[in-house]
Amino acid sequence: MIQETRAMLEFADDPKQIELATYRKNGGYDAFEKALKEMSPDDVTQEVLKSGLRGRGGAGFPTGRKWQFVPKGNDKPKYIAVNADESEPGTCKDRVIMEQDPHQMLEGTLLAAYAVGATTAYIYIRGEFQKSIRIVEDAIDEARAANLIGKNILGTDFSCDIWVHPGAGAYICGEETALLTSLEGNRGYPRIKPPFPAVEGLWRCPTVVNNVETMACVTQILRRGGDWFAGLGCEGSTGTRLFCLSGHLKRPGVYELECSTDFTLRDVIEQIGGGTLSGAPIQGVMPGGSSFPVLRADELDCGFDIESVAKAGSSLGSGAIMVFDDTVNVRDVVLNISEFYSHESCGQCTPCREGSDWVRRMLKKFQTDGPDEGDIATLMDVTDKMDGTTICALAVAIVWPVQSFLKKYPEAFAEKVTA
Amino acid sequence: MGTRIVKRPKLSFMERIYLGPVVKGLGMTIGHFFGTLRDVFNWKNKKTAITMQYPEERWDFKDNFRGAPALVMDQEQRGKCVACQICEFVCPPKAITIWPTEFDETNSVEKYPDRFEIDMLRCIYCGFCEEACPEEAIFLVKEAELVHADKRDFIHDKEKLYEMGGIRNDRIMKWKNK
Amino acid sequence: MLFVDILWKLLEIVLVAAVALPTTAALLVWAERRVSAFMQDRLGPNRVGPAGLLQPIADLLKFIFKEDVVPGHVNKAIYILAPALSLVPALLAFAVVPYARDMAILDVNVGILYVFSVSSIAVYGITLGGWASNSKYSLLGGVRASAQMISYELALGLSVVPVLLVTGETHLGRIVEWQAANGWLVLYLFPAWIIFLVSSYAETNRLPFDCPEAETELVAGYHTEYSSMKFALFFLAEYIHMITASALTVTLFFGGWHVPFFTLPEGGWGTTLSCLAFCAKTGFFLFLFIWVRWTLPRFRYDQLMNLGWKILLPASLGIIMLTAGGVALLAD
Amino acid sequence: MSDNGHVTLTIDGKEATVPAGINVIEAAKQVGIEVPHYCYHPRLSVVGNCRVCLCEIEGVGQLQIGCNTLVRDGMVVNTTNERVSRMREGVMEFLLINHPLDCTICDQAGECKLQDYAVDHGSGITRFEFDKGKKPKNISWGDRVVFDAERCILCTRCVRFLDEIAGTDEISIDHRGEKSQLVVRGDGKLTSPYQMNIIDLCPVGALTSRDFRFKSRVWFMKFTPTIDTSDARGCNVVAGTRDNRMLRMVPRYNPNVNDYWMSDHGRLHYAFVNDEDRIVMPTAGGKPAPYPVALSRAQAVLEGARDEGILCVASSYMTNEELFALKGVCDALGVEDRYFLLPMGEGDDLLIHPEKAPNARGCRLAGFRDAPDDWSSQEFGALLYVKPRELIELPAEVIERCKKKVVFSLTKHASDVNIPLTTWVEKDGTMVSAGDRVQCVRQGMVYEPTLLTERVVLDRLHTLLDPAFKGASTAVLAFQRMADEHPALDGLTWLSVGLLGAKLNKAEALA
């Protein structure tokens, strides 16, 4: 039986954990104080590197490496941006941290700011998360009152201020460059890379953009040591991760799990999620949220870590495991996904702006009438041409699920719908 | 190149006397004579005369006949031409001249010909204009008999062209869905 | 002669020369166009008047109203004279033809000689027209015409000699009466008739012997430079020549006004019927003219001369010998 | 190897050494390869949203956009291989699926990048079987620019131009995704004095000129490189004419003068060329007279007034050649009082110059003096007056003080001899613009075949006055004669002035 390994969520069930006093009583800000007083910024980065922490936003870029990209000896101000614009369908983990243990994220943010030498950090919270915004703002006020945020923190030379920036409801602002553009007060348009944000981000200054969960991990790493973190999980997927199980499950929810090759994705779904609610067989699973390829029921016997799932043809992504049983129509699922993404396309790049809508309309036709001859090939070709031809990955977020659904459920798209 | 000597066939006496073939020839022509004569009196309803009695009888033009170019209107009697001037551009003898103008801003169609003239003394009935027209607004109609006493009348203006073209039931309607 | 007779003669001359012949010629033009059209599976002019019968009048009006161009380079006097010179002999030759029983404008003993002498003048009109036009086409046409007419005049004349031999008459009316009594001469002198026919075609410049006009080579030959009424006169002359030639053929070989197997009544009715018979026969030969024209192609000029000199002349001479021999034998 | 700030790279198998720091599009341009692009413009910031300049950089997994990829030493670029052309075809297809079939009524047709690239890089067919998206059309953005949202491909060149160059930042994008649409802030009307540049910038027909709209298809037009004569800046332009009528002006790239831009005022400054009221024949004593008659009359007038003094007033709209021809006439008559008229107005820091005439410097070069603010009350026997075409005129009382008048003018002007003027698009010549640049104007049309240019007329008048004088047969020869004479033009030739102009030699002589 797979068990949860609670590190980030250790105290999450305590409703008082959102208060600074409780958080400090549970060992909060000790790691930050220690780092501030005993460690150099480089030491902090080294500790994170040692832990093997990979970004929890979905792309999985090693966090320590990202911090190292920030140029040293540059007199431009540096910024931290915490990506709390959690809008991906199926993902709900950041909200748990923000609403149940906000100081853990703030501590990680401060540690990251200390590591890269940033003096300002912005927490870009999705506009719809009104409760999160309130809790995080209260937590910041409390921490600022306790001189954990602000000038000369805890009597040291280090100064860092943290601001909450609510988003205005665009999914694309969860993309790091669009988030920065939005922070600057402009339309949330992703920017072309290079230059990367770590070199030229917010107001053309070096900026580190990290996910909420990543920041929470940083807190845990500094609190318990990089070696401890590296010892959890398996190679390439160290530490614990928050997984959001959703869909037709008996026990959906956010679980903190270690990745392992010892058990399979199916085990997780069945043992943690408790199998399908109706008992009907699983039809498919999207293990990384709606923007990653789907896995058929017979492909679920892969190891539960980043590499194994990638080998199976999908990705753990942001850890949103969405399960649907065979009572749903695959055409509806894929149409729903494409409707979401075409609605959220920012409209900047041609292939995404025009292509996403085209894909949506084709899938709408598949759903209502079924495909004509050659339509599937056209759709595959169109999505191919959207893949990798845009500034950000939103186009890819349409291409992957759509292509995988078409490939894996050919029978669902085989014939015309007869009235 | 060598010289080739063609041997003339040696004619027989009867051939040389020439009268036989003359009589034969006379027989043939008189046959046609009476054949046509029979047509004139409508006897036996068999046709020898092949000529057409033009003003009364007229050629049945095929649909792809290339007569005079004309402008057509859609089902709602509105001109289809948008004054794109492509016909003017392709016209080999430069017979077409268009002066475009625009509707006011409230109109769904922006551009139309203020004046549209085809100089039929220049037109060579090539059909390029019909071929090139992206709006299917200009057609070569079955009108082939253009007779005017005044040269200026050969310059067909917009009204004349629309009158010749008339209404054409067609899918393409620029006024719709705009 | 009584004054009334003179008046009657004048009336006859006017009727024949100024009314009947031109009208026939005009009708002939119409017939030519209609017949040629029919033979070519066309309908021909059928717009002006019933069946297009008024077409010749339209043509005439056109000729009258067309601009009368006299080119600057012509010999003006002869140029103007030529068409008249072409027309007048054709009219004159008709004078001795007995167009009905006991009817002829000029009742002369030497009718046949008169015909030959008068019709020989016609060549002057054409030759002079060609020469006066001062144009190479016209000149060539004129030269051809004179050469052709002189050549075929011989055969024409010689082919009539057997008629004289058989009938012993030069009076055309009496030749017809001979035939009425003894049967048509064509039965006796078929080869002579053939030669006469061919030669008469050549004499009238009709196809297949219209080398003087020869559009394809000479534009229009001797009348290239003519327009308007002067051209019309040439045109008219050609058709009246045709009528005269047909009338002579009928008179000499086909019994003239004689109707076979039927005895004409005496008096006015007989005369009228004889005239109709004459007209019908002439009409047939006129039709033959047209018919031949739209059947046979034009001879090459050398073929024309070959035919005239090497075949028709010897043949007619031969026929004369035979006929003379035959007459001599039978007379005995 | 890189040296002197240059790098060597390979583009489509061609080796190229280009300055470091430029992007792949510019590098490819230098070796004669065109990488298609919509949103990229050399003078605007790079946003990389059209995605049509995708290139393959060897060693980089994904295709990269040429506009945002800076050249590196040893870089190997493929701009045409199968992978690139497939993706480019895809981008063209995406651009075209919702683009209306407006080419028939679109002014851009013929110079439309979408048409060009659709032919060069598109697949030629459409697989899009749905109704095209509907957006507002024929939106008036003030009285100069008309916007069509359906045709817009959202390259944001116009947005960036007004933001970065004109500095008025008036356009932004509304909605998102396929509903994105440009809007003008405020009352929806543009205010920038440079707003019409966005019409040239627009690679498609989304932005069209109210002035030029539907006047002519571009393929019927004749284009002549010349300069703008609305002010002393002398922006380089291409004048478009059809059937000998001027239809539009668009800026022509000249890095030394106007870059890619020009002001709206200059662009719309041509209506007088097509003016129906222009005179096309000289008049002498109010009656139409052929040139020889009018000129001998002018000769008589001027020679008769020699003793009483002649006032000569030139126009700063004349070309140098004409001014020197006028100078020759003045010399032959011994005229002392030589002035020119120069209208002044407002200027700005970008391109609008306060001197509202193109050739005040040329007037000074030819020895004419700036017109005094208050004219003396001296009386003259005759006035030889080349009337500026607008904005400024000789005061009426000065004209009245001259007994006889020989006037060159565009429209009818009361005088003893009135000779028609020609406009700058009807003749060849040079002018001296701000910054003392000699620039050429070129003949693009003929208003009326009988018209003679002022240079020819003045040379003929000169010959009448001095039979020994022989005028130059062409403007090129006249320029050469002038350059030989005048030290400031020393060493310049018509060819060295060329399309982009050349600096005067001794600029200080004109100050």
Side-chain angles (χ1 to χ4, degrees), chain B residues 82-86 88-89 97-98 100-108 110-111 134-135 177-178, chain D residues 101-107 134 137-140 146 148 151 210 213-217 219-220 242:
Chain B
V82 297
C84 72
Q85 294 175 292
I86 291 176
E88 183 176 354
F89 180 61
T97 319
I98 301 168
T101 190
E102 72 182 303
F103 288 107
D104 60 29
E105 276 179 41
T106 55
N107 209 308
S108 60
E110 287 173 52
K111 198 179 173 191
E135 297 287 334
N177 306 323
K178 273 236 172 166
Chain D
L101 290 170
D102 269 359
C103 299
T104 52
I105 57 163
C106 177
D107 266 348
K134 296 284 168 210
K137 295 176 83 73
N138 202 3
I139 305 166
S140 177
V146 181
D148 187 312
R151 295 180 198 155
R210 177 65 77 195
R213 213 166 141 81
F214 303 150
K215 271 197 199 158
S216 171
R217 308 313 300 247
W219 53 78
F220 292 126
R242 185 186 180 192

Side-chain angles (χ1 to χ4, degrees), chain B residues 18-19 22 25-27 29-30 32-33 36-37 40 48-51 53-56, chain C residues 34-35 37-43 46-47 194 287-288 291-292 294-297 299:
Chain B
Y18 188 56
L19 284 174
V22 167
L26 289 171
T29 43
I30 203 74
H32 282 271
F33 175 80
T36 313
L37 199 64
V40 171
T48 305
I50 54 167
T51 48
Q53 296 308 294
Y54 164 62
E56 295 87 24
Chain C
R34 290 286 279 181
V35 169
F38 280 18
M39 285 177 175
Q40 294 164 352
D41 293 348
R42 297 183 287 116
L43 295 185
N46 58 355
R47 296 280 148 188
I194 294 290
F287 183 80
L288 189 68
W291 186 4
V292 166
W294 298 103
T295 305
L296 298 180
F299 273 61

Side-chain angles (χ1 to χ4, degrees), chain A residues 169-171 187 189-195 342-358 360-363 365 372 375 377-378 380-391 396, chain D residues 46-52 54 62-65 67-68 86-87 89-99 126-133 135 152-156 172-180:
Chain A
Y171 167 79
R187 274 174 77 83
Y189 268 175
R191 298 179 192 165
I192 39 177
K193 294 184 269 192
S342 73
H343 181 251
E344 293 295 346
S345 168
C346 77
Q348 196 180 194
C349 303
T350 309
C352 176
R353 177 181 68 232
E354 307 289 348
S356 61
D357 192 52
W358 191 2
R360 178 185 66 77
R361 291 165 85 162
M362 276 199 268
L363 289 169
K365 180 188 160 198
D372 289 322
D375 274 0
T378 305
M380 292 301 276
D381 189 57
V382 168
T383 45
D384 262 358
K385 284 169 176 168
M386 291 165 68
D387 189 357
T389 55
T390 52
I391 293 173
V396 179
Chain D
V46 173
V47 292
N49 61 21
C50 73
R51 314 309 289 183
V52 83
L54 288 168
Q62 285 194 342
L63 297 181
Q64 298 294 309
I65 46 173
C67 57
N68 194 43
R86 175 160 182 266
M87 286 304 169
E89 189 185 300
V91 174
M92 284 315 302
E93 186 173 24
F94 289 132
L95 282 170
L96 291 170
I97 55 172
N98 279 316
H99 195 86
T126 180
R127 299 178 291 177
F128 187 72
E129 52 179 6
F130 308 101
D131 287 342
K132 285 176 184 282
K135 284 182 188 173
C152 177
I153 59 165
L154 294 159
C155 68
T156 68
S172 62
I173 297 176
D174 223 357
H175 301 293
R176 71 176 177 221
E178 92 283 356
K179 294 186 187 66
S180 300

